[in-house]
Amino acid sequence: MKDTKVKIKSRHFNFFYGENQALHDISLEIHAKKVTAFIGPSGCGKSTFLRSINRMNDVIDSSKVNGKLEIDGINIYDPLMNVVELRKRVGMVFQKSFPFPKSIYENIAYGLKLNGGVSKDQMDHIVEESLRKSALWKEVKDRLNDSALGLSGGQQQRLCIARAIAMNPEVILMDEPCSALDPISTKKVEEFISEFKDSYTIVIVTHNMQQAARVSDYTGFFYMGRLVEFDTTKKMFHDPSKKETEDYISGKFG
Ligand SMILES: Nc1ncnc2c1ncn2[C@@H]1O[C@H](COP(=O)(O)OP(=O)(O)OP(=O)(O)O)[C@@H](O)[C@H]1O
């Protein structure tokens, strides 16, 4: 697994909310078309790091970064970086799904329409493909014009996955995507990850150790704003190098 291409690379990356430094000196490499999980106790900076990858934290006025965060060798914090383009390449699925108060179809077509240049036939095709990939097609194919808000929580989350993949992203960031879901909906999201991991670079934050072990190829353990250990998931769960990792994975704290 060591030979795969590096998609995302951070070097001495620091992140501040005002005076509060949430990330300290994060250096890691995320492999292309692999699944990387971030684990660690609450408040240790996992989501902050995840949101840094598509500059979602930019909206927070007092936030500040230094160090490097590169995608395909380009520093995404370069002042010349086009953040709108970046977010097309790096999609995101949140803990709580927020469909737009529009139809199921429109939820997926919305971003594509903003981009322009997509015919109705192409749009129909992309909507169907995205819903098939997120395993929602069979459930909604006869009611694409109904409001997305009428879907169950699990269906809404899969709709948000479909919305993200419709933009054909290279990277998908998932911030605790299953924490509000029942076991069956969780399984469907995990199946999406397993089935399509060859198509995307997926980075997932999860509090669920079993989930990290099941779905990811690599795992990073964060603690108090620092990356304690990063390795293959196999190594992290069976033979971690650091005592803190072992203690956390075995449930001794957190
Ligand atoms: N918008 C914000 N403004 C100020 N501080 C924030 C903000 N978001 C997070 N923080 C702080 O940054 C630190 C890291 O938070 P972060 O949400 O990244 O941790 P986390 O590991 O993802 O936690 P959890 O597992 O509970 O989601 C915490 O001290 C948190 O209070």
Side-chain angles (χ1 to χ4, degrees):
M1 267 206 277
K2 293 277 180 202
D3 298 336
T4 52
K5 183 174 167 259
V6 171
K7 183 75 181 171
I8 302 164
K9 182 170 173 175
S10 82
R11 281 285 168 267
H12 307 297
F13 186 76
N14 297 296
F15 186 95
F16 301 81
Y17 292 106
E19 295 298 303
N20 175 24
Q21 185 167 359
L23 293 173
H24 299 256
D25 202 31
I26 308 294
S27 294
L28 57 76
E29 291 181 351
I30 292 175
H31 296 268
K33 303 199 172 166
K34 297 284 172 197
V35 181
T36 298
F38 292 151
I39 59 169
S42 213
C44 65
K46 308 177 294 293
S47 300
T48 300
F49 187 72
L50 193 78
R51 292 194 305 259
S52 298
I53 301 174
N54 69 350
R55 293 188 46 176
M56 284 290 288
N57 293 319
D58 283 17
V59 292
I60 299 165
D61 275 348
S62 62
S63 69
K64 196 174 77 200
V65 304
N66 60 49
K68 269 196 187 154
L69 218 171
E70 296 176 348
I71 297 185
D72 293 334
I74 310 279
N75 185 12
I76 62 164
Y77 283 90
D78 187 293
L80 294 177
M81 187 76 205
N82 179 332
V83 179
V84 174
E85 285 302 317
L86 171 71
R87 293 194 189 133
K88 278 187 210 160
R89 293 172 60 202
V90 185
M92 185 144 192
V93 177
F94 298 89
Q95 176 172 16
K96 177 94 187 64
S97 51
F98 292 108
F100 307 127
K102 289 176 181 289
S103 70
I104 294 166
Y105 185 99
E106 282 298 321
N107 260 274
I108 300 168
Y110 186 74
L112 294 161
K113 281 188 180 165
L114 285 182
N115 279 348
V118 182
S119 70
K120 174 81 173 75
D121 278 357
Q122 283 170 319
M123 191 79 81
D124 289 351
H125 177 73
I126 295 171
V127 168
E128 178 172 340
E129 273 303 291
S130 306
L131 286 167
R132 282 189 188 281
K133 284 185 179 174
S134 70
L136 194 55
W137 175 247
K138 281 193 193 142
E139 288 157 67
V140 302
K141 66 178 171 19
D142 298 323
R143 50 174 173 141
L144 292 177
N145 293 321
D146 290 2
S147 170
L149 302 181
L151 297 172
S152 72
Q155 289 173 327
Q156 288 189 2
Q157 190 61 307
R158 278 179 281 144
L159 181 70
C160 290
I161 292 174
R163 189 167 69 186
I165 57 184
M167 303 300 288
N168 198 20
E170 296 158 34
V171 179
I172 303 178
L173 309 175
M174 301 181 124
D175 197 353
E176 296 183 49
C178 303
S179 64
L181 304 186
D182 62 75
I184 292 171
S185 300
T186 298
K187 191 157 175 272
K188 289 187 173 161
V189 173
E190 290 187 8
E191 280 169 359
F192 163 77
I193 296 172
S194 305
E195 203 168 328
F196 293 101
K197 66 183 199 172
D198 294 343
S199 309
Y200 309 103
T201 300
I202 297 176
V203 190
I204 178 169
V205 166
T206 179
H207 278 278
N208 181 330
M209 292 301 113
Q210 286 86 1
Q211 180 169 68
R214 273 196 302 269
V215 303
S216 70
D217 302 297
Y218 293 87
T219 296
F221 170 52
F222 283 79
Y223 186 52
M224 294 175 77
R226 293 176 195 277
L227 181 69
V228 174
E229 189 168 351
F230 186 89
D231 213 318
T232 61
T233 298
K234 202 170 166 200
K235 172 101 170 67
M236 292 287 280
F237 279 82
H238 294 104
D239 181 26
S241 303
K242 301 272 172 64
K243 173 131 186 6
E244 293 103 305
T245 311
E246 188 178 342
D247 286 351
Y248 182 70
I249 284 172
S250 61
K252 287 195 185 134
F253 74 96

